Amino acid sequence: MLLEVIIFITLALIAAVSAILVVTRSNPVISALFLILNFGALAGIYLLLNAQFIAVAQVIVYAGAIMVLFLFVIMLLRPENEKKIFSSNPLIKTLAFVIGGVVFIQLIYLIFIVRPSESQSPEVAQSIQAGTVEKIGTLLFTEYILPFEAAGFLLLAATIGALVLAKKKFE
Amino acid sequence: MHIQIEYYLILSAFMFIVGVVGVLTRRNAIVVFMSIELMLNSANLTMVAFSSYLGNAVGQLFVFFVMAVAAAEAAVGLAIIIALFRNKLTINIDELNILKW
């Protein structure tokens, strides 16, 4: 159990620090690489939560497919290495940090007021087998088959939309 | 003892706030997009944490759907960025103000 805590703290620190680095680096390629590190740490945390299927999907879909798309577009556009990475408007910057701080304090306050772990029933904590591929697949192809098909259709529409948008404009 | 769910929620809240600040302050459209992915991932972490905490797989199912939507969103959004760059030769969102009145 101590090992579990050590692994969680390590992964959480990696995720938090890499999230900050994503936002503060001026080179978008570095940002993208730190975002991949963040996704990898999150996949590890999903494994700690017994969500094996989601952990594998996180690595394949997010760290694999989506980030390759991001890196490809960054290479394609070759954006200039900006000197001032944050918005030049000081009002926007102040407002952003104020909003972020207020919402963060609200969330932390809410978490410590509600304290969901105290109302957890012990038998649920003993028998966490929710995340196996078998369980997810059974739910996905029986009860949630309609949203599954809708997600497939959405991906098809997105593919066609991306092709149309990025296609060279004909005169 | 087991790791309590509060710690996962705090990590998720922190990542969400970092994403919010990134979206509001950064000027590079691609980095703004990455911040949005960060926020989506923090929501995913909350859902997986509660799914594990309740012993119910439906939360993880919805994370799967969120991933599908995020993939679609990334494809369309990056295509929009490419189209914008082709027309305006910039992806600095301070300079992209054609929809402003």
Side-chain angles (χ1 to χ4, degrees), chain A residues 9 22 28 36-37 47 49 54-55 57 71 78 97 114-115 117 119 130 134 149-150 153 162 171:
Chain A
I9 291 173
V22 167
I36 295 176
L37 182 63
L47 279 180
L49 283 166
I54 294 300
L71 283 170
R78 196 182 39 81
F97 282 103
V114 177
R115 289 200 72 83
S117 66
S119 57
E134 188 185 354
E149 297 290 346
F153 196 77
E171 307 304 322

Side-chain angles (χ1 to χ4, degrees), chain A residues 46 49-54 124 126-139, chain B residues 47-61:
Chain A
Y46 292 160
L49 283 166
N50 287 315
Q52 299 95 332
F53 173 69
I54 294 300
V124 169
Q126 290 304 312
S127 66
I128 298 170
Q129 287 299 325
T132 58
V133 181
E134 188 185 354
K135 190 87 179 283
I136 304 260
T138 309
L139 267 175
Chain B
M47 277 198 275
V48 172
F50 271 109
S51 156
S52 177
Y53 153 77
L54 294 170
N56 187 342
V58 177
Q60 292 175 31
L61 206 66

Side-chain angles (χ1 to χ4, degrees), chain A residues 17-30:
Chain A
V17 171
S18 59
I20 293 174
L21 288 171
V22 167
V23 174
T24 53
R25 294 303 95 185
S26 64
N27 188 341
V29 178
I30 308 274

Side-chain angles (χ1 to χ4, degrees), chain B residues 8-22:
Chain B
Y8 295 103
L9 296 182
I10 290 168
L11 175 66
S12 166
F14 179 77
M15 275 173 51
F16 187 83
I17 294 306
V18 171
V20 168
V21 172

Side-chain angles (χ1 to χ4, degrees), chain A residues 3-107:
Chain A
L3 185 67
E4 200 181 333
V5 173
I6 292 170
I7 292 173
F8 172 74
I9 291 173
T10 314
L11 288 174
L13 276 179
I14 291 174
V17 171
S18 59
I20 293 174
L21 288 171
V22 167
V23 174
T24 53
R25 294 303 95 185
S26 64
N27 188 341
V29 178
I30 308 274
S31 287
L33 292 177
F34 275 118
L35 194 54
I36 295 176
L37 182 63
N38 185 16
F39 290 165
L42 272 186
I45 290 176
Y46 292 160
L47 279 180
L48 274 183
L49 283 166
N50 287 315
Q52 299 95 332
F53 173 69
I54 294 300
V56 172
Q58 170 90 2
V59 172
I60 294 174
V61 176
Y62 263 119
I66 293 182
M67 290 319 293
V68 164
L69 200 62
F70 267 95
L71 283 170
F72 192 73
V73 170
I74 292 170
M75 304 293 177
L76 206 64
L77 298 189
R78 196 182 39 81
E80 68 278 19
N81 214 340
E82 43 199 342
K83 287 281 173 290
K84 287 175 61 185
I85 57 171
F86 293 116
S87 176
S88 49
N89 190 340
L91 181 69
I92 290 179
K93 225 180 336 189
T94 322
L95 210 62
F97 282 103
V98 169
I99 290 173
V102 168
V103 175
F104 186 60
I105 290 167
Q106 276 183 336
L107 286 172

